[in-house]
Amino acid sequence: MEGAARVFAGDFSRSAYCMPGVERPSSTYMLTPGGAWCNRVFVAGALTEVTDHGSLIRSRLADPTGAFTLEIVRDGRTGLPGLFEKVSVPSFLAITGAARLTKGNGTCSAIIRPESVQIVDRTVRDRWILKTADCTLGRAGALAAALKGDEAAPAI
């Protein structure tokens, strides 16, 4: 099983490209402007909004850079819709989910389809911010090295 990318909402929400995987071409990955390849993501933040659209629940999870859009489908396979109906706003959540890019009317929207949700506290959210900042700096360094012509990973 492949790990989930840590990415900030500001970077994730500006994504506009999907690419086939390098090692697994059958997988589709979102490419963020900051250089993250996202098939699955691990995010944490404050739940700021939950809206019921019948067969779909749409929510927003905020971090210091912006907000992630979460879409939870009522398909009866998970208890996630019930969790989002019961959790109070605001609450801190940690979420692992599938990264998706939806295109329509000439625009792109980056969304997360949650697979696992945990109610957490501020300390967990703050640690996620620090670790995600470290991951972001690592990606920025790799992109800078590639632009200078240094050896780079094939994905870059």
Side-chain angles (χ1 to χ4, degrees), residues 5-9 11 42-44 63-65 68 124-139:
R6 289 175 181 256
V7 63
F8 285 118
D11 190 25
F42 173 62
V43 300
D63 75 9
T65 67
F68 298 98
V124 171
R125 191 277 318 255
D126 290 350
R127 287 182 182 153
W128 175 84
I129 290 170
L130 293 173
K131 179 63 176 167
T132 303
D134 188 48
C135 293
T136 301
L137 286 172
R139 287 191 297 267

Side-chain angles (χ1 to χ4, degrees), residues 15-144:
S15 299
Y17 298 104
C18 288
M19 308 284 288
V22 174
E23 294 177 13
R24 291 181 19 197
S26 61
S27 297
T28 301
Y29 289 76
M30 281 178 40
L31 177 61
T32 71
W37 286 71
C38 304
N39 179 279
R40 295 177 71 241
V41 292
F42 173 62
V43 300
L47 183 68
T48 61
E49 181 181 332
V50 177
T51 309
D52 192 334
H53 294 275
S55 64
L56 181 76
I57 295 175
R58 192 168 277 132
S59 301
R60 293 179 56 81
L61 188 76
D63 75 9
T65 67
F68 298 98
T69 299
L70 311 174
E71 288 188 353
I72 303 92
V73 179
R74 292 183 193 274
D75 60 6
R77 292 184 287 173
T78 69
L80 292 180
L83 173 74
F84 277 89
E85 290 169 338
K86 293 176 186 171
V87 70
S88 62
V89 174
S91 290
F92 291 116
L93 301 178
I95 295 175
T96 302
R100 297 291 178 256
L101 196 60
T102 60
K103 296 182 180 188
N105 298 333
T107 63
C108 290
S109 298
I111 64 164
I112 298 173
R113 296 254 166 95
E115 298 165 350
S116 170
V117 178
Q118 281 293 130
I119 298 172
V120 298
D121 60 17
R122 181 181 300 274
T123 302
V124 171
R125 191 277 318 255
D126 290 350
R127 287 182 182 153
W128 175 84
I129 290 170
L130 293 173
K131 179 63 176 167
T132 303
D134 188 48
C135 293
T136 301
L137 286 172
R139 287 191 297 267
L143 287 171

